[in-house]
Amino acid sequence: MSRFLTVGAAQMGPVQRSHTRRDVVERMIVHLREARRMGCDLVVFPELTLTTFFPRWWMTDQAEIDSFFEKEMPSNETAPLFTEAKRLGLGFSVGYAELVNEGGRVRRFNTAILVGPDGRIASKYRKVHLPGHAEHEPQRPFQHLEKRYFEVGNLGFPVVKAFGGNMGMCVCNDRRWPETYRVMGLQNVEMVMLGYNTPLHNAPSPDHDEHSWFHNQLSMQAGAYQNGTWVIGVAKGGTEEGVPSLADSQIVSPSGKVVARAGSDRDELIVHRCDLDAGKSYTSTTFDFERHRRPDVYRLIVERRGARPPAG
Ligand code: CDV
């Protein structure tokens, strides 16, 4: 029995601070309707889709910071997204800033959820690799305060059975880390959905700027090939609040090949019919983990966090 899943990568252009959640949800619904017309089963939206990428600003007023967070999902403002997706028989994944009361205290995460065509949340992921800094660095042209506004995710990298396959998620900077894909690969992941907000200028390493497109593609292609999985990479791109950000959303097959790619830095849907069995020829040969992996030799990966030179 063949297992095909038609997936739409719903790239978003910029979301400015003046845009309300209702404005954004309206744009997302346009994507959903087009996705339905194009035969999609599942639509993937970017990281922190619902608001502007607020970690670019140093803020000290907690109420102002919390205004960018979702206290419930769905809420009054996001319910129309869930309702329309269900009406159209579509699933979706979406990234948002999550504020939750957990363990008797308020916690804030950079979260992505997977919603089934029945409108129910099938999986949740909280971003593990938080880039940037925790203190104000006024010398930067803009801030990247994810380490201040979010906690490190506490849900691991879950892979769930949904949409007829094994589905995983990660968020933005996670895509640059081989561990992200491998932890999901060890759960037989068949599709990794991820969204990103990637400024084209990286203040601590401006020499990387010209390689932004290459590094984005390189990371996702490597993750896909080395784990025999589809990778759906979706940007919030374009110039947001004066900060130009990478677009270049793409769908990468388990061969590592890019099979669909956005051509603009605006709202744009790219679609591919993904064979969920396409990874099998990789995971049963070159990357048959059971046969070829040597975890006893990889102990340093979990025992040591930072790199150290050899002694002597
Ligand atoms: N939102 C992100 O995680 N952005 C990072 C930038 C700061 C490098 C990224 O990895 O794209």
Side-chain angles (χ1 to χ4, degrees):
M1 197 183 71
S2 61
R3 292 186 304 139
F4 284 93
L5 191 62
T6 302
V7 179
Q11 176 173 288
M12 300 288 288
V15 173
Q16 310 300 353
R17 192 169 188 161
S18 59
H19 296 165
T20 65
R21 284 175 178 75
R22 283 186 202 285
D23 295 334
V24 177
V25 165
E26 242 174 63
R27 285 164 59 186
M28 295 169 82
I29 287 176
V30 170
H31 271 318
L32 288 179
R33 292 181 180 155
E34 190 184 353
R36 183 66 269 168
R37 282 193 294 276
M38 295 181 76
C40 290
D41 306 296
L42 173 63
V43 179
V44 182
F45 292 104
E47 175 191 36
L48 300 176
T49 306
L50 298 166
T51 65
T52 199
F53 189 78
F54 62 90
R56 74 169 64 89
W57 292 308
W58 169 254
M59 294 177 280
T60 52
D61 176 359
Q62 196 59 54
E64 183 186 9
I65 296 166
D66 287 349
S67 70
F68 294 99
F69 283 76
E70 309 305 312
K71 285 107 199 164
E72 48 184 353
M73 187 59 69
S75 61
N76 282 345
E77 288 149 314
T78 52
L81 179 71
F82 284 67
T83 306
E84 186 63 2
K86 187 174 171 184
R87 189 184 74 78
L88 296 168
L90 285 172
F92 65 92
S93 80
V94 61
Y96 63 97
E98 178 191 17
L99 188 152
V100 65
N101 219 307
E102 217 175 68
R105 66 186 175 95
V106 173
R107 308 186 69 173
R108 297 172 184 81
F109 297 101
N110 188 342
T111 295
I113 50 170
L114 177 64
V115 179
D118 58 358
R120 286 219 282 263
I121 295 176
S123 185
K124 179 181 277 188
Y125 168 72
R126 290 170 173 161
K127 187 174 184 178
V128 166
H129 299 100
L130 297 174
H133 48 111
E135 298 305 327
H136 193 203
E137 296 187 6
Q139 73 282 7
R140 290 177 180 244
F142 52 89
Q143 305 293 295
H144 198 104
L145 287 156
E146 286 197 61
K147 284 195 195 298
R148 185 172 194 88
Y149 298 141
F150 300 116
E151 281 185 60
V152 172
N154 59 353
L155 302 176
F157 290 99
V159 173
V160 297
K161 286 201 179 301
F163 298 92
N166 302 333
M167 311 291 287
M169 291 179 281
C170 65
V171 175
C172 195
N173 191 261
D174 289 321
R175 76 193 187 286
R176 304 185 190 275
W177 296 88
E179 294 88 346
T180 297
Y181 302 95
R182 183 49 51 90
V183 170
M184 289 192 268
L186 285 165
Q187 300 169 76
N188 279 134
V189 75
E190 292 169 326
M191 182 171 285
V192 175
M193 296 157 280
L194 68 92
Y196 54 90
N197 286 264
T198 299
L200 287 170
H201 173 58
N202 192 332
S205 50
D207 51 316
H208 300 183
D209 292 0
E210 64 173 301
H211 305 305
S212 296
W213 292 263
F214 171 61
H215 290 162
N216 179 49
Q217 187 172 336
L218 175 71
S219 309
M220 296 194 292
Q221 286 187 303
Y225 165 63
Q226 291 168 350
N227 296 279
T229 181
W230 290 90
V231 174
I232 318 295
V234 187
K236 172 139 70 62
T239 300
E240 199 179 83
E241 295 294 340
V243 178
S245 295
L246 180 70
D248 213 15
S249 299
Q250 46 199 275
I251 298 177
V252 187
S253 83
S255 68
K257 200 169 165 184
V258 176
V259 294
R261 188 168 194 166
S264 77
D265 61 3
R266 299 185 296 277
D267 290 9
E268 179 179 343
L269 184 78
I270 57 170
V271 174
H272 190 79
R273 187 166 176 260
C274 302
D275 177 358
L276 292 176
D277 288 319
K280 283 206 165 68
S281 72
Y282 296 90
T283 56
S284 63
T285 59
T286 312
F287 297 116
D288 179 343
F289 293 164
E290 187 59 46
R291 258 199 298 162
H292 305 305
R293 286 186 79 247
R294 294 286 171 253
D296 43 322
V297 185
Y298 311 149
R299 296 176 78 94
L300 264 190
I301 287 178
V302 287
E303 286 172 358
R304 187 180 288 182
R305 180 164 156 179
R308 271 185 253 148

